[in-house]
Amino acid sequence: MPGVDVSERPCLRETPTAIDGFRLWKSALSPDQQRALLAEVEAGIAAAPFYRPTTPGGRPFSVRMTNFGPLGWVSDRAGYRYQPHHPGTGEPWPAIPPVLLQLWDAATGWLEPPDACLVNLYEAGARMGLHQDRDEADLRAPALSVSLGDAAVFRIGPAEGGRTTSLRLESGDVCALTSAARLARHGIDRVLAGSSSLMAGGGRLNLTLRRARC
Ligand code: MD6
Ligand code: FE
């Protein structure tokens, strides 16, 4: 994209939250950085198209998914797991965009880079039920996510269940589940259609970076 330096460091000012270990950086990516990242995601999905996974019980997810990086999170009748290839094409996943590796460094300080980047596409009506991210080998490593496109209502609560809190995740926001919140239950209740003009045709993308293997 002309005039946009995708290697420019994201501007990280942490927004305090009331949840121990849940970290939030509102507007971490500028509009130019969001457009540049979107262009990189679009290049990646040309090689690794979005597909609709099913739960182990056989129910289709309302989001479509793909992955970047050495490992990708997949779900089907055989269960949840990380694997090195796209289930549809059989090809390795595309590389994680460098700006996301920089963001991981800058935001988390975790020494090992992420080896998996799940890409979720929310089209009209898509949501994500409350879940825990727990398929990773070392649950001390953080999980960091970037939101692009339409805003979403994100819900988060304790690992053991109980009271949840809702907050809005908007385009360019970055959040992380770390330490005491690494196993927090979280999900997306709804996406606010028309709230962003980043993606032609609307919708929301969420990119979640994780360390799947030690
Ligand atoms: C989403 N996010 O924002 C779903 N997981 O579409 C997640 O599931 C998530 O935001 C781990 C860490 C941060 C997240
Ligand atoms: Fe998650």
Side-chain angles (χ1 to χ4, degrees), residues 154-173:
F154 180 81
R155 179 195 290 271
I156 180 167
E160 50 288 357
R163 200 190 159 94
T164 59
T165 308
S166 289
L167 63 126
R168 195 175 281 210
L169 289 180
E170 295 168 301
S171 196
D173 290 354

Side-chain angles (χ1 to χ4, degrees), residues 128 131-133 154 177 186 208 210:
M128 178 152 324
H131 65 275
Q132 294 174 295
D133 286 29
F154 180 81
L177 300 178
H186 60 282
T208 302
R210 307 190 190 97

Side-chain angles (χ1 to χ4, degrees), residues 51 67 70-72 74 81-93:
Y51 66 97
N67 289 274
L71 292 167
V74 300
R81 64 191 176 279
Y82 282 95
Q83 69 178 37
H85 57 272
H86 187 291
T89 67
E91 295 294 320
W93 307 103

Side-chain angles (χ1 to χ4, degrees), residues 112-127:
E112 291 88 21
D115 56 7
C117 176
L118 173 63
V119 189
N120 290 137
L121 173 65
Y122 294 75
E123 295 161 304
R127 55 187 299 281

